[in-house]
């Protein structure tokens, strides 16, 4: 008799219940009126009186085991179903936050600059980041011994001793795109040329080994310095507001004559300061000659501005490295 009880116990333990059908099969097999547990109690009448207490105890244990197995399996199956159908456990829980993407502050500043110059009648052009010495320096009227060609400023990709093979550099400014444009296109030319530039500089809060510029070029008959200044003032007003305080100062660049720089007044807690936002000037006749444009017939102006500086002013960013770390916590502040 004890063997029989133990057999039923083993059967219960080995029964696999993975789904509703198997749960029902288990119930029929053990817990129903004609099931094995009930039949087991039916055998009690044949048990000798002195063993009845002991057998009754064992049978009750098996009955409880069957009931417990059934209850546990039922709960487990219900839980699984919930997961499968994505049912909500608790609708009062706060939802997980979702983050939408946003444009990088440099992209936002660049887009504003582009919009302004498109309004002023400029088109947009671009050129390669890997340049040769001719486009980056020689055609722009840099003397052969100019310090900007020095290893300290320029990343040389190929340094050549052969006179017929040009050095290759990561462009140090966007001005070489002016050269490419003038070689391709007869005047009038009126374009801006945005792009990334590279300089072998120490990384600090104020300088980085790469940054972004927007070059501008207008070549036509009778282009004057007055038009250059008017264009730049219009830019400053549209970028910083019509009450922007600005000044232009004489400067020097090999590729323009005369040359100038433009500063805007920047208010801050300490009072304020002049910040340089761009270099500009009238295209040097030597530059026209190097691209086959007649300097007797045409004049032109050019300018180059730093997008990083403009974005930093615009958004109050005090460390240029933040623009290149791509830390999501930083970038999320610039939703537009
Ligand atoms: N290429 C100069 C630089 O990187 C910026 C510049 C100055 C560009 C004057 C110009 C210009 O086109 O006319 O510092």
């Amino acid at each position: 008799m004890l063997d029989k009880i133990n057999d039923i116990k083993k059967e219960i333990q080995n029964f696999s219940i993975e789904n509703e059908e198997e749960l029902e099969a288990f119930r029929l097999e053990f817990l129903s009126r004609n099931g094995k547990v009930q039949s087991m109690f039916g055998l009690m009448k044949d048990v000798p009186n002195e063993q009845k207490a002991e057998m009754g105890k064992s049978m009750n244990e098996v009955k409880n085991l069957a009931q417990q197995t059934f209850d546990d399996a039922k709960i487990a199956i219900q839980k699984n179903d919930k997961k499968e159908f994505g049912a909500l456990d608790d609708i009062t829980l706060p939802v997980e936050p979702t983050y939408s993407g946003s444009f990088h502050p440099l992209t936002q500043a660049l887009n504003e600059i582009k919009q302004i110059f498109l309004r002023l009648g400029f088109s947009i052009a671009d050129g390669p980041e890997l340049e040769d010495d001719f486009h980056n320096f020689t055609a722009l009227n840099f003397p052969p011994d100019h310090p900007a060609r020095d290893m300290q400023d320029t990343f040389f990709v190929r340094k050549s001793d052969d006179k017929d093979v040009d050095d290759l550099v990561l462009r140090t400014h966007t001005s070489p795109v002016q050269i490419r444009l003038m070689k391709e296109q007869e005047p009038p030319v009126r374009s801006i040329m945005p792009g990334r530039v590279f300089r072998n500089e120490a990384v600090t809060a104020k300088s980085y080994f790469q940054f972004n510029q927007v070059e501008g070029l207008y070549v036509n008959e009778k282009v004057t310095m007055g038009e250059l200044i008017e264009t730049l003032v219009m830019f400053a007003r549209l970028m910083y507001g019509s009450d922007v305080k600005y000044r232009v100062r004489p400067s020097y660049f090999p590729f323009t004559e005369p040359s100038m720089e433009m500063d805007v007044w920047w208010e801050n807690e300490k009072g304020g300061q002049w910040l340089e936002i761009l270099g500009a000037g009238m295209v040097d006749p030597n530059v026209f000659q190097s691209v086959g444009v007649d300097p007797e017939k045409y004049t032109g102006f050019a300018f180059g501005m730093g997008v990083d500086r403009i974005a930093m002013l615009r958004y109050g960013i005090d460390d240029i490295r933040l623009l290149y770390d791509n830390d999501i916590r930083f970038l999320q502040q610039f939703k537009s």
Side-chain angles (χ1 to χ4, degrees):
M1 175 62 71
L2 211 53
D3 285 351
K4 188 130 197 182
I5 296 173
N6 278 332
D7 284 350
I8 299 178
K9 190 172 165 184
K10 271 193 202 121
E11 273 183 63
I12 292 171
Q13 286 166 334
N14 293 335
F15 203 100
S16 126
I17 314 175
E18 302 280 343
N19 51 42
E20 296 279 353
E21 289 87 67
E22 288 172 1
L23 185 69
E24 178 60 7
F26 181 90
R27 191 188 68 79
L28 289 171
E29 179 97 9
F30 298 103
L31 297 172
S32 65
R33 209 182 310 169
N34 302 321
K36 287 187 173 161
V37 171
Q38 208 50 43
S39 330
M40 177 182 69
F41 281 107
L43 299 173
M44 199 60 149
K45 60 184 189 308
D46 304 330
V47 175
N49 273 344
E50 64 276 13
Q51 290 180 18
K52 272 195 166 54
E54 195 194 334
M55 287 300 159
K57 200 172 156 224
S58 299
M59 286 184 191
N60 270 325
E61 274 173 22
V62 171
K63 181 185 161 202
N64 291 339
L65 176 70
Q67 190 62 50
Q68 193 64 51
T69 305
F70 178 84
D71 293 345
D72 290 350
K74 190 171 175 177
I75 290 170
I77 288 168
Q78 278 172 352
K79 257 199 192 153
N80 259 341
D81 281 357
K82 270 192 189 168
K83 258 187 225 148
E84 239 169 68
F85 297 115
L88 297 167
D89 286 324
D90 180 353
I91 59 166
T92 65
L93 287 174
V95 293
E96 299 243 336
T98 54
Y99 297 108
S100 57
S102 56
F103 284 111
H104 192 284
L106 279 175
T107 307
Q108 292 187 34
L110 181 59
N111 283 343
E112 273 189 61
I113 296 169
K114 283 183 187 167
Q115 287 308 319
I116 291 171
F117 283 105
L118 286 170
R119 268 177 74 177
L120 296 178
F122 285 73
S123 62
I124 299 175
D126 66 7
E129 291 176 356
L130 183 61
E131 268 296 5
D132 51 38
D133 180 276
F134 174 78
H135 288 87
N136 198 79
F137 295 124
T138 306
L140 287 162
N141 197 33
F142 278 81
D145 53 353
H146 194 283
R149 293 176 185 233
D150 199 280
M151 292 295 279
Q152 283 178 358
D153 296 313
T154 307
F155 286 114
F156 285 90
V157 174
R158 182 179 69 202
K159 201 80 171 108
S160 163
D161 294 329
D162 183 344
K163 267 210 180 120
D164 299 327
V165 180
D166 218 352
D167 288 345
L168 285 182
V169 302
L170 291 181
R171 65 178 175 194
T172 56
H173 52 179
T174 42
S175 301
V177 191
Q178 288 185 33
I179 301 299
R180 292 185 178 273
L181 211 58
M182 285 191 281
K183 282 206 300 191
E184 271 168 23
Q185 195 182 322
E186 290 281 312
V189 176
R190 183 154 52 176
S191 295
I192 57 164
M193 297 145 261
R196 188 157 44 157
V197 304
F198 306 87
R199 285 189 204 170
N200 195 359
E201 280 177 7
V203 171
T204 69
K206 298 277 167 251
S207 71
Y208 205 64
F209 56 83
Q210 64 172 12
F211 49 99
N212 290 269
Q213 291 187 331
V214 173
E215 192 78 14
L217 178 69
Y218 177 39
V219 180
N220 207 343
E221 291 178 33
K222 303 194 181 78
V223 176
T224 66
M225 186 123 181
E227 285 170 283
L228 168 60
I229 293 175
E230 208 173 322
T231 303
L232 297 179
V233 169
M234 188 77 99
F235 167 75
R237 290 214 169 113
L238 291 171
M239 191 75 199
Y240 296 105
S242 51
D243 55 350
V244 65
K245 226 166 104 185
Y246 60 86
R247 70 178 184 193
V248 292
R249 296 178 280 110
S251 185
Y252 170 79
F253 300 101
F255 34 90
T256 44
E257 181 60 36
S259 303
M260 51 173 270
E261 279 170 331
M262 184 180 217
D263 304 330
V264 297
W265 181 254
W266 193 251
E267 295 282 349
N268 53 27
E269 312 84 55
K270 291 170 223 144
Q273 67 190 116
W274 287 110
L275 285 173
E276 179 205 321
I277 58 161
L278 57 83
M282 301 306 289
V283 179
D284 193 292
N286 287 342
V287 174
F288 279 144
Q289 241 139 23
S290 72
V291 292
V293 169
D294 181 0
E296 298 298 327
K297 185 165 177 205
Y298 294 107
T299 54
F301 67 67
F303 56 85
M305 58 182 71
V307 182
D308 302 64
R309 168 67 69 83
I310 289 170
M312 288 166 77
L313 286 180
R314 180 92 187 171
Y315 301 113
I317 300 164
D318 57 7
D319 190 328
I320 190 173
R321 290 168 292 197
L322 291 166
L323 293 175
Y324 295 93
D325 287 346
N326 283 334
D327 185 324
I328 202 83
R329 292 164 301 182
F330 169 76
L331 295 176
Q332 269 170 358
Q333 300 171 59
F334 304 97
K335 297 261 156 88
S336 58

